[in-house]
């Protein structure tokens, strides 16, 4: 695991920035795909929302791994757990608020 | 023990990139990651408020009335490309190429300005031409504050990157400037992540519903 | 001229003799402090040694001093309320003034007493417990303190300038909105709490990183002292709860200052959204002020039972469970808001679930006491009293957790009694316990045991006189926040007893203050650094600890690390004295204080909607951040011979 990471870091010292370019192409591709799903297709609203949110989550992970190097560092487990806990709480506040407030107006 | 599963021994530290080589750099990078995790909740709360308010247009303009896909796509592409150029900056940092790093950071700042310019223009046209200022409805309050908070983060990021460009020009790449450049890169990519969700949950959703 | 008088009469709070008295005493106290500092030529000392300090021990002491002052103010507020309610139809306070007093009481006690007191104790104890020389980010630590301090000062200023907030500490919309609550009072709440909240978030990050990354060699996570564990979990909750509060406060500020419609009734706003966001922070906040004191009690009970803590691993996992569950129980604060049945059911169940890990801890402490060699010191008395008193608060909490039953209890004095039972028997007993326990480590002498026990008994008995009857008062129908009540409902005698209890608690606090003054002059010196026969590393260094904490970073091989070291010594296995090496320490900095000052100026400007003042204040804050970014020489070394001199003076070289 560590060796792989260190090799990955070393490889970056030379050659074409594949990781970054692939990251960019994927982000742009996913963005246009989401746009097409939302505007181009006329699926039922719930299906559309599910697909575009899933695409957004996928794209966020691309940023996290390909640009932000979340698995890098002396003890990456700390930031990984931190980000996961952040995702948990952010999900709780978004889903909880929508669920609670959908019916009380 | 659980905490050592992914940890490196100190002998591996010399193989690490420059920004991790001092204890101070190591601590600050972890601290900054934790800060970004907290920012997830901050934006999560803003998203929650916006999504709850989305349908509360109080007879004013709706999302579908206001949003136009071309400027939004322009903003999105600019921000995605700026994340890419910022990533190339980090790559040059790893190659200890000060000039390359500064050049990519300058490009990133220019793209940042372009994004802020477009967003300011969008806000201005809503508030002034479309009769949709922040005080018009709960929906617009949520919209302006969610996007405004993101925009304020990008603006602060521009100031921060500029300050680091100056420090890099003065001192070159050292353990300290490397750490700063790496951290500002994390920040910039994070703002891109937030934008992906704004693009999806605000704009695309607004056009679908 | 007319304009100026008009402005001044709105700017300063006027019309109430009590306020003029307070004005006079604030002015006199300020003049007194300035005169004393000038006469004794202490300004430079104050600036160099305290205001610019980045030493976690000094920051801890400053937190505790500020928190004690705020506790005094919050306590006076409580006594004013209890005087007003002592008899039916009292006219001591009018309705408006009563509203202001309960608002400031609640806000101050939670935000400006409980949290800073805990932050103070953790600043003092955590780096010492893990064998570190400072926190991960000493500069940020000082900044956190000054943000808290200036936030608290801004909030307190409302008392004499502009008028106090009066919408309750939970500031429910729409009453807290601009339409129903014009004026600056609510702005003070929103902005003062916001500034101090930013400091809290920074403290959370700071201590999380400190505990994760700066432990002494050999101290794995499961060998950490329980107080440090509790702070680790608390930091996680602070980090993830406070951003939600930051947003909620900001949204209401924007509503009030810029005419947005988040929480208004008009234009589609949702007052319920405020309750939702407030409690999304507010419930985790309960655990932020409770988990640390669970940690303190664990340390104190183990120390004075002279046993290792029972069920350490279970205790840790129950706190981890709490950190997850505390984020999904918030709705139980507003069961009665008209939610659907599935929503209420979900949060009712999650609330009962979170009682389980809390209940588990009670058994941990009881089994630690079992067959222990118990020593009844003042800190131990607070810890022992905590167990039954807190359990009552916990059990009534489970009663409130049942959504259908909550319709009966909601917003009655039953609820008031419940949360005071948890927050006083938990947090307040805990911070007093920690104060007595770590006092020798902070100042190098002990607090007097006799006075300490007097203050304990007076406070603890009065607490029960005050809050036990409240449960019954609630069941008899008295609701919270009513400023007076008619005779003939049968509430009078109970209220009178409660008021006696409240004044008894005030007396207990005064005895504690006397103890502090008396012990400062006559207190027994702690020459060993280990006055209680402690088990954890903070007792292995001198009292007070030197600037660098440990001349040599200790190596840890087991839980209760210092106890193990003493055991080794008893068995005659001593390690050879190593030579001293220079120690790398952070420099003091004036920037945190100045940045806090700019925040105060900005905050004051926004309170009065004077943007000519608020915006330059914020620019000052940004300028401080940039200035800090260009500082590269921020460390110094303490030379080895200096360390040897300090260690010799403390009598730690044989």
């Amino acid at each position: 695991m560590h060796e792989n990471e260190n090799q990955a870091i070393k490889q970056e010292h030379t050659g074409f920035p594949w990781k970054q370019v692939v990251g960019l192409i994927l982000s742009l591709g996913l963005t246009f795909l989401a746009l097409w799903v939302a505007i181009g297709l006329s699926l039922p609203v719930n299906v559309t929302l599910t697909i575009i949110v899933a695409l957004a989550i996928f794209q966020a992970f691309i940023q996290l791994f390909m640009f932000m190097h979340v698995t890098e560092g002396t003890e990456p487990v700390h930031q990984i757990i931190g980000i996961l806990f952040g995702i948990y709480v952010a999900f709780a506040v978004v889903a909880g608020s929508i669920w609670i407030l959908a019916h009380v107006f | 023990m659980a905490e050592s599963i992914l940890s490196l021994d100190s002998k591996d530290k010399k193989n690490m990139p420059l920004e991790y080589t001092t204890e101070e750099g190591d601590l600050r990078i972890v601290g900054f990651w934790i800060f970004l995790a907290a920012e997830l909740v901050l934006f999560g709360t803003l998203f929650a408020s916006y999504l709850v308010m989305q349908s509360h247009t109080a007879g004013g303009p709706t999302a579908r009335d206001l949003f136009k896909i071309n400027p939004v796509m322009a903003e999105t592409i600019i921000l995605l490309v700026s994340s890419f150029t910022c990533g190339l900056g980090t790559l040059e940092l790893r190659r200890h190429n000060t000039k390359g790093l500064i050049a990519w950071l300058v490009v990133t700042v220019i793209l940042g300005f372009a994004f802020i310019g477009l967003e300011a223009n969008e806000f201005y046209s809503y508030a002034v031409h479309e009769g949709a200022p922040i005080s018009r409805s709960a929906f617009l309050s949520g919209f302006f504050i969610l996007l405004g908070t993101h925009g304020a983060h990008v603006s602060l990021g521009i100031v921060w990157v500029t300050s680091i460009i100056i420090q890099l020009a003065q001192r070159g790449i050292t353990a300290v400037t490397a750490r700063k450049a790496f951290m500002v890169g994390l920040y910039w990519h994070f703002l891109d992540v937030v934008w992906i969700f704004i693009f999806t949950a605000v704009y695309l959703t607004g056009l679908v519903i | 001229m007319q304009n100026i008088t008009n402005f001044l009469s709105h700017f300063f709070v006027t019309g109430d003799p009590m306020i003029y008295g307070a004005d006079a005493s604030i002015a006199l106290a300020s003049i007194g402090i300035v005169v004393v500092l000038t006469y004794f030529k202490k300004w430079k000392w104050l600036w160099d040694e305290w205001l610019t300090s980045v030493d976690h021990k000094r920051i801890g002491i400053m937190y505790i001093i500020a928190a004690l002052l705020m506790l005094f103010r919050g306590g006076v507020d409580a006594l004013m309320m209890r005087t007003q309610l002592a008899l039916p139809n009292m006219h001591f306070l009018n309705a408006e003034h009563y509203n202001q007093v309960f608002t400031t009481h609640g806000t101050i006690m939670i935000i400006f007493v409980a949290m800073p007191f805990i932050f103070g104790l953790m600043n003092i104890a955590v780096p010492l417990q893990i064998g570190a020389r400072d926190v991960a980010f000493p500069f940020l630590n000082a900044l956190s303190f000054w943000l808290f301090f200036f936030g608290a000062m801004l909030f307190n200023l409302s008392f004499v300038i502009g008028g106090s907030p009066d919408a309750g500490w939970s500031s429910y919309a729409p009453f807290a909105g601009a339409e129903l609550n014009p004026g600056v009072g609510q702005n003070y709440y929103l902005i003062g709490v916001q500034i101090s909240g930013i400091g809290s978030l920074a403290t959370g990050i700071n201590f999380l990183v400190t505990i994760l990354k700066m432990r002494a060699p050999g101290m794995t996570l499961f060998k950490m002292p329980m107080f440090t564990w509790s702070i680790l979990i608390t930091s996680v909750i602070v980090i993830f709860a406070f951003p939600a509060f930051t947003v909620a406060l900001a949204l209401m500020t924007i509503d009030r200052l810029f005419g947005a419609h988040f929480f208004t009734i008009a234009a589609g706003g949702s007052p319920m959204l405020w309750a939702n966001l407030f409690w999304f922070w507010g419930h985790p906040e309960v655990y932020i002020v409770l988990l640390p004191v669970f940690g303190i009690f664990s340390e104190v009970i183990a120390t004075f039972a002279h046993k290792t803590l029972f069920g350490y691993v279970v205790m840790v996992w129950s706190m981890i469970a709490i950190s997850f569950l505390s984020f999904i129980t918030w709705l139980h604060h507003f069961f009665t808001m008209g939610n659907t049945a599935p929503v209420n059911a979900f949060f009712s169940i999650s609330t009962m679930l979170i009682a389980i890990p809390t209940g588990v801890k009670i058994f941990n402490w009881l089994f630690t006491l079992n067959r222990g060699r118990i020593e009844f010191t003042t800190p131990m008395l607070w810890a022992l009293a905590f167990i039954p008193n807190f359990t009552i608060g916990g059990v009534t909490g489970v009663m409130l957790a049942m959504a259908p039953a909550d319709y009966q209890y909601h917003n009655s004095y039953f609820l008031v009694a419940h949360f005071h039972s948890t927050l006083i028997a938990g947090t307040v007993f805990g911070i007093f316990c920690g104060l007595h326990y770590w006092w020798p480590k902070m100042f190098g002498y002990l607090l007097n045991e006799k006075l300490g026990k007097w203050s304990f008994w007076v406070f603890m008995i009065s607490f029960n006189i005050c809050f036990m009857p409240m449960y019954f008062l609630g069941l008899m129908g008295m609701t919270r926040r009513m400023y007076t009540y008619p005779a003939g409902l049968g509430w009078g005698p109970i209220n009178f007893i409660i008021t006696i209890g409240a004044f008894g608690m005030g007396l207990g606090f005064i005895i504690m203050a006397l103890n502090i003054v008396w012990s400062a002059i006559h207190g027994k010196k702690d020459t060993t650094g280990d006055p209680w026969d402690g088990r954890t590393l903070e007792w292995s260094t001198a009292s007070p600890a030197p600037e660098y904490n440990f001349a040599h970073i200790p190596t840890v091989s087991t839980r209760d690390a210092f106890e193990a070291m003493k055991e080794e010594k008893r068995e005659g296995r001593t390690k050879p004295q190593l030579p001293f090496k220079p120690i790398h320490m952070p420099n003091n900095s004036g920037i945190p204080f100045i940045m806090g000052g700019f925040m105060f100026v900005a905050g004051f400007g926004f309170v009065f909607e004077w943007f000519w003042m608020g915006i330059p204040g914020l620019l000052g804050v940004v300028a401080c951040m940039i200035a800090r970014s260009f500082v590269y020489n921020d460390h110094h070394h303490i030379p080895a011979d200096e360390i040897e001199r300090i260690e010799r003076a403390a009598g730690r070289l044989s």
Side-chain angles (χ1 to χ4, degrees):
Chain A
M1 178 84 190
H2 306 153
E3 281 172 17
N4 290 346
E5 263 170 32
N6 286 350
Q7 274 168 9
I9 292 163
K10 269 177 207 151
Q11 275 170 4
E12 286 182 358
H13 285 269
T14 50
F16 188 76
W18 282 112
K19 202 172 168 184
Q20 281 73 8
V21 171
V22 171
L24 177 70
I25 292 169
L26 275 174
S27 330
L28 289 174
L30 288 167
T31 303
F32 280 100
L33 182 61
L35 180 69
W36 177 69
V37 171
I39 311 286
L41 296 179
S42 21
L43 297 169
V45 172
N46 281 344
V47 178
T48 310
L49 291 184
T50 312
I51 295 173
I52 62 177
V53 169
L55 290 174
I57 292 169
F58 183 42
Q59 200 179 337
F61 277 100
I62 289 172
Q63 290 280 332
L64 214 50
F65 284 96
M66 304 197 93
F67 289 132
M68 294 173 81
H69 312 274
V70 69
T71 55
E72 209 180 275
T74 51
E75 287 170 286
V77 66
H78 294 150
Q79 70 234 25
I80 293 171
I81 292 177
I83 293 289
L84 287 176
F85 207 103
I87 292 171
Y88 160 68
V89 178
F91 176 78
V93 69
V94 172
S97 300
I98 293 172
W99 188 41
I100 293 164
L101 293 167
H103 301 287
V104 291
F105 291 105
Chain B
M1 280 289 117
E3 69 274 16
S4 59
I5 290 170
L6 287 171
S7 73
L8 293 167
D9 294 336
S10 55
K11 66 176 167 14
D12 293 328
K13 251 191 178 172
K14 61 180 181 296
N15 294 327
M16 295 295 291
L18 193 57
E19 58 270 24
Y20 291 105
T21 51
T22 62
E23 194 200 357
E24 196 195 18
D26 193 20
L27 290 176
R28 289 188 188 207
I29 291 169
V30 178
F32 195 70
W33 270 108
I34 304 295
F35 170 74
L36 291 180
E39 288 264 84
L40 276 178
V41 180
L42 183 126
F43 280 103
T45 313
L46 287 167
F47 272 106
S49 308
Y50 171 78
L51 293 172
V52 166
M53 298 297 187
Q54 198 174 30
S55 56
H56 297 205
T57 51
T62 63
R64 206 185 270 263
D65 296 337
L66 288 175
F67 298 160
K68 288 173 198 73
I69 204 63
N70 289 340
V72 171
M73 285 311 285
E75 286 166 28
T76 307
I77 291 166
I78 286 171
L79 212 56
L80 288 176
V81 173
S82 84
S83 192
F84 169 68
T85 58
C86 189
L88 291 179
T90 309
L91 186 67
E92 295 302 328
L93 167 68
R94 294 283 162 84
R95 290 171 176 171
H96 297 257
N97 176 359
T98 311
K99 276 189 186 147
L101 169 58
I102 290 179
W104 284 122
L105 288 182
V106 169
V107 174
T108 308
V109 166
I110 292 169
L111 290 170
F113 268 115
F115 170 83
I116 289 295
L118 282 175
E119 188 168 57
N121 184 51
E122 186 188 338
F123 281 10
Y124 181 79
S125 77
Y126 290 173
V128 177
H129 300 307
E130 313 268 356
I134 188 169
S135 53
R136 178 62 191 84
S137 68
F139 154 65
L140 286 160
S141 301
F143 171 82
F144 278 110
I145 295 306
L146 171 57
L147 273 79
T149 306
H150 175 266
H153 274 74
V154 175
S155 308
L156 193 69
I158 291 172
V159 175
W160 189 12
V161 179
T162 311
S163 134
I164 284 164
I165 291 172
I166 295 168
Q167 294 179 37
L168 282 167
Q170 286 172 344
R171 295 165 184 274
I173 294 176
T174 66
V176 177
T177 54
R179 189 257 303 160
K180 292 186 179 188
F182 181 74
M183 268 165 49
V184 83
L186 287 183
Y187 181 75
W188 201 269
H189 298 310
F190 173 78
L191 294 179
D192 204 45
V193 173
V194 175
W195 183 262
I196 293 164
F197 284 96
I198 289 179
F199 175 72
T200 306
V202 177
Y203 288 111
L204 290 187
T205 305
L207 291 169
V208 172
I209 289 183
Chain C
M1 193 60 208
Q2 184 62 39
N3 284 340
I4 295 172
T5 13
N6 224 340
F7 167 76
L8 287 179
S9 70
H10 281 96
F11 188 68
F12 293 106
V13 177
T14 51
D16 187 325
M18 282 198 288
I19 302 269
Y20 293 129
D23 287 348
S25 52
I26 290 170
L28 285 176
S30 313
I31 293 167
I33 291 168
V34 171
V35 167
V36 168
L37 285 171
T38 312
Y39 183 79
F40 290 104
K41 299 197 170 66
K42 288 290 189 187
W43 283 106
K44 192 172 156 37
W45 165 83
L46 183 69
W47 178 260
D48 288 344
E49 300 288 320
W50 291 94
L51 303 189
T52 60
S53 179
V54 295
D55 182 339
H56 67 95
K57 301 177 287 296
R58 300 209 163 180
I59 291 171
I61 289 171
M62 291 194 286
Y63 264 121
I64 290 173
I65 292 171
L68 279 170
L69 290 174
M70 288 291 102
L71 179 61
F72 176 75
R73 197 212 145 164
V76 171
D77 283 345
L79 294 182
M80 286 165 73
M81 282 189 282
R82 282 320 313 173
T83 307
Q84 165 65 21
L85 293 176
L87 298 167
N89 297 315
M90 280 279 277
H91 293 289
F92 176 65
L93 301 172
N94 63 30
E96 192 194 353
H97 198 171
Y98 187 86
N99 288 352
Q100 295 177 351
V101 172
F102 74 64
T103 302
T104 53
H105 168 76
T107 312
I108 285 175
M109 287 300 198
I110 295 284
I111 310 271
F112 301 130
V113 177
M115 292 198 61
F117 215 122
I118 283 163
F119 286 178
L121 293 173
M122 73 199 223
N123 260 289
I124 284 154
V126 166
L128 292 171
Q129 283 199 328
I130 62 173
R133 290 202 162 116
D134 208 322
V135 294
F137 313 116
F139 175 90
L140 188 67
N141 199 22
L143 181 60
S144 294
F145 171 74
W146 289 111
L147 288 176
F148 146 70
F149 181 82
F150 281 107
M153 288 303 108
L154 185 64
F155 183 85
N156 277 278
L157 202 59
S158 66
F159 183 47
V160 287
I161 295 179
S164 297
D166 61 359
W169 89 282
S170 51
S171 279
Y172 269 20
F175 180 59
E179 202 181 327
L180 297 173
N181 206 328
V184 296
Q186 184 60 23
N187 294 351
Y188 270 116
Y189 168 93
L190 293 166
I191 293 167
V193 173
Q194 181 75 287
I195 291 173
S196 114
I198 296 166
S200 305
L201 175 62
T203 301
I205 295 175
N206 210 339
F207 276 81
L208 180 63
V209 177
T210 304
I211 296 170
L212 287 178
K213 303 285 278 189
M214 294 178 73
R215 299 188 307 278
M219 186 183 278
T220 58
L221 285 177
F222 277 82
K223 286 178 186 157
M224 295 196 310
M226 190 52 68
F227 178 65
T228 298
W229 252 117
S230 73
I231 296 303
L232 174 69
I233 303 295
T234 304
S235 300
V236 169
I237 303 179
V238 167
I239 291 164
F240 295 106
F242 264 81
F245 196 36
T246 300
V247 169
L249 292 169
L251 297 186
M252 190 182 268
T253 310
I254 292 162
D255 264 11
R256 290 178 59 90
L257 265 54
F258 303 103
H261 290 287
F262 287 100
F263 311 123
T264 58
I265 302 171
S270 166
M272 280 104 150
L273 179 63
W274 168 264
N276 179 62
L277 296 182
F278 180 85
W279 289 114
F280 190 82
W281 160 80
H283 192 75
E285 170 69 13
V286 171
Y287 289 93
I288 291 169
V289 297
L290 279 175
L291 289 183
V293 298
F294 291 170
I296 295 171
F297 292 131
S298 301
E299 299 291 338
V300 167
I301 287 173
T303 302
F304 296 111
H306 298 281
K307 274 176 68 188
T308 190
L309 189 67
F310 179 88
Y312 176 100
V313 177
V314 176
M315 192 85 125
V316 169
W317 281 107
S318 60
M319 284 198 292
I320 294 172
I322 287 175
S323 74
F324 277 90
L325 290 171
S326 68
F327 285 100
I328 50 169
T329 63
W330 76 96
L331 181 124
H332 67 222
H333 293 269
F334 50 100
F335 277 140
T336 56
M337 208 171 258
N339 315 298
T340 55
V343 169
N344 271 2
F346 174 86
F347 285 95
S348 199
I349 292 167
S350 66
T351 305
M352 290 180 203
L353 273 180
I354 204 169
I356 295 172
T358 316
V360 164
K361 291 153 164 302
I362 299 282
F363 289 98
N364 283 124
W365 293 310
L366 291 177
F367 282 110
T368 308
L369 290 168
N370 184 30
R371 291 160 165 250
R373 188 158 48 81
I374 298 172
E375 210 183 330
F376 291 94
T377 59
T378 310
M380 187 61 162
L381 288 177
W382 287 110
L384 293 175
F386 150 78
I387 297 174
N389 284 303
F390 180 82
T391 304
I392 292 167
V395 169
T396 51
V398 177
M399 292 167 71
L400 285 157
M402 291 178 278
D406 182 70
Y407 273 79
Q408 285 301 314
Y409 308 131
H410 192 75
N411 270 1
S412 73
Y413 263 86
F414 189 88
L415 170 83
V416 177
H418 155 70
F419 71 71
H420 283 90
S421 288
T422 54
L423 289 174
I424 295 180
T427 307
V428 176
F429 284 17
I431 58 188
F432 288 167
C433 173
L435 187 72
H436 286 82
Y437 183 60
W438 282 306
W439 189 274
K441 194 48 64 185
M442 290 154 66
F443 296 107
Y445 61 88
L446 286 87
L447 288 173
N448 181 276
E449 277 291 301
K450 197 170 182 181
L451 283 168
K453 284 175 184 167
W454 268 101
S455 66
F456 163 75
W457 284 109
V458 171
F459 193 93
M460 197 274 287
I461 292 170
S462 306
F463 159 74
N464 277 289
I465 296 173
C466 185
F467 291 101
M468 277 303 152
M470 256 187 213
Y471 286 110
F472 300 97
L473 196 57
L475 296 177
M476 289 165 76
M478 183 158 166
T479 55
R480 73 194 291 202
R481 293 173 178 170
M482 45 196 312
Y483 88 105
T484 191
Y485 52 93
L489 289 168
W491 299 351
I494 298 181
N495 270 302
F496 195 76
I497 293 169
I498 292 172
T499 302
I500 294 173
F503 277 89
M505 290 166 77
L507 180 65
F509 180 72
I510 289 171
I511 299 173
M512 191 179 294
L514 277 179
N515 190 4
I516 289 173
V517 175
W518 192 90
S519 304
I521 303 163
H522 306 288
K524 195 176 114 202
K525 292 272 173 296
D526 170 25
T527 49
T528 60
D530 182 23
W532 309 116
D533 191 13
R535 312 175 72 81
T536 41
L537 285 177
E538 74 266 37
W539 307 109
S540 71
T541 186
S543 291
E547 183 194 353
Y548 47 79
N549 291 354
F550 299 94
H552 299 287
I553 296 290
T555 315
V556 175
S557 54
T558 168
R559 272 174 220 159
D560 291 343
F562 183 48
E563 179 63 26
M565 286 176 191
K566 288 191 281 191
E567 185 67 34
E568 278 183 15
K569 216 172 190 176
R570 277 196 290 273
E571 289 170 5
R573 284 183 284 142
T574 45
K575 289 183 188 119
Q577 183 74 43
L578 297 165
F580 293 116
K581 285 188 201 149
I583 295 174
H584 188 68
M585 294 301 289
N587 287 346
N588 283 1
S589 170
I591 294 178
F593 181 84
I594 296 167
M595 218 164 134
F598 275 121
M599 268 292 192
F600 181 84
V601 171
F604 190 77
F606 285 111
V607 165
F608 280 87
E609 303 184 36
W610 295 342
F611 298 113
W612 53 266
M613 188 175 179
I615 290 165
L618 283 185
L619 290 177
V621 173
V622 175
C624 283
M625 285 160 76
I626 294 173
R628 172 65 187 176
S629 178
F630 281 83
V631 173
Y632 275 74
N633 287 325
D634 58 351
H635 284 79
H636 64 278
H637 282 90
I638 305 176
D641 50 348
E642 167 98 4
I643 297 162
E644 189 169 345
R645 196 182 57 71
I646 295 170
E647 291 292 303
R648 199 174 292 286
R652 300 188 71 81
L653 287 185
S654 44

